[in-house]
Amino acid sequence: MNQHHADLHTLVAAYALDALDPAERDAFVAHLAHCEDCRGDVAEFEATAARLAGAAAQDPPPALKQLTLTAIDGVRQLPPEVPAPGSTRRITRTLRRKAVPLALAASVAAAVAFGGLAAWQYQENQDARQQAAQAEQQLDSVSAVLAAPDARAVHGRATNGAVTTVVSSDRQNRAVFTATGLPAPEPGKTYQLWLDHDGTMRPAGFIHSDGTVALDGDPADASAVGLTLEPVAGSARPTTTPLLLLGLPA
């Protein structure tokens, strides 16, 4: 693969996310051995990606384990079938066709077995699906920024001790914010993010705990990202001294 040395620097984020094809990866690995700047950038992007995974992870409901173990006792185990030659595709189609009805039947059986827990479990499942959809949308937005060839990262520390990172992409016209070690806000307060446009602070979303969020708004003309403590509903303008004012990459 013939690729200019300068072009290889733009593959840092894609390499950290394992999004390169084999030829690009081989070329970048060879480049990485001789480029200290890229090695540092890779470490930063990999750390940010790890924080993303932690932010998206959710603990299962406490009763889920016992529900699952109890339901197993009511499932009859079948001996394995040896497919006849040429029948693999047919069996695969059959399994796909039966997968949803079987899953539904298992859910109904569990509801009958556990009575009053059925409504709770249904609501938990609905909430989990909604949270999963929101998390997937958030991860898509964040991943697009991290994987952008022009992605750039800056790091800072808030006055409350939180370690922060902002990754921005002019091509995506988006930026993401990551916080680690963010203390829990006092009751009735939350952390609000801001984009500084020529001294005018514009709301850019919220971050409620450690994790990564995509910033709302257009970062193209912004010079910095701010973080303040605000009422839970948020504010139109900062009402407290910024805990952080982190300059965006030029």
Side-chain angles (χ1 to χ4, degrees):
M1 175 181 178
N2 294 324
Q3 189 164 19
H4 295 298
H5 184 272
D7 295 337
L8 290 170
H9 292 291
T10 66
L11 301 180
V12 168
Y15 173 81
L17 295 174
D18 197 22
L20 297 178
D21 62 38
E24 289 174 328
R25 184 178 180 83
D26 290 345
F28 186 78
V29 168
H31 165 76
L32 202 59
H34 306 287
C35 183
E36 183 176 353
D37 288 341
C38 282
R39 289 198 297 271
D41 289 342
V42 166
E44 292 173 356
F45 277 113
E46 287 179 340
T48 300
R51 291 178 190 139
L52 280 175
Q58 297 183 22
D59 293 329
L64 183 59
K65 179 178 179 181
Q66 188 57 47
L67 286 172
T68 303
L69 292 175
T70 306
I72 288 175
D73 293 336
V75 178
R76 184 168 64 92
Q77 301 298 309
L78 298 176
E81 291 188 12
V82 179
S87 64
T88 303
R89 292 182 180 177
R90 184 172 64 256
I91 292 175
T92 300
R93 288 195 299 268
T94 301
L95 287 174
R96 288 175 177 171
R97 188 172 61 252
K98 291 184 177 180
V100 172
L102 286 173
L104 180 60
S107 298
V108 172
V112 172
F114 304 114
L117 287 175
W120 168 86
Q121 190 174 19
Y122 173 80
Q123 186 59 49
E124 286 289 311
N125 288 340
Q126 292 295 100
D127 293 344
R129 288 191 185 97
Q130 184 176 2
Q131 291 172 5
Q134 293 173 347
E136 183 176 2
Q137 183 178 9
Q138 173 80 353
L139 286 174
D140 286 344
S141 298
V142 171
S143 298
V145 175
L146 294 180
D150 63 337
R152 295 163 297 173
V154 292
H155 308 279
R157 185 180 291 273
T159 58
N160 60 7
V163 177
T164 65
T165 299
V166 174
V167 181
S168 62
S169 165
D170 291 339
R171 182 174 297 185
Q172 293 289 326
N173 197 28
R174 298 295 302 273
V176 299
F177 180 89
T178 296
T180 303
L182 198 63
E186 61 187 80
K189 297 287 187 178
T190 191
Y191 292 105
Q192 187 165 355
L193 293 160
W194 307 87
L195 285 171
D196 183 358
H197 292 269
D198 296 326
T200 300
M201 304 295 283
R202 298 178 182 172
F206 302 90
I207 184 165
H208 305 293
S209 59
D210 286 358
T212 301
V213 295
L215 295 178
D216 297 337
D218 184 358
D221 298 325
S223 59
V225 172
L227 178 71
T228 62
L229 265 176
E230 302 293 337
V232 172
S235 302
R237 293 287 183 270
T239 62
T240 60
T241 302
L243 301 168
L244 173 79
L245 196 59
L246 184 60
L248 286 169

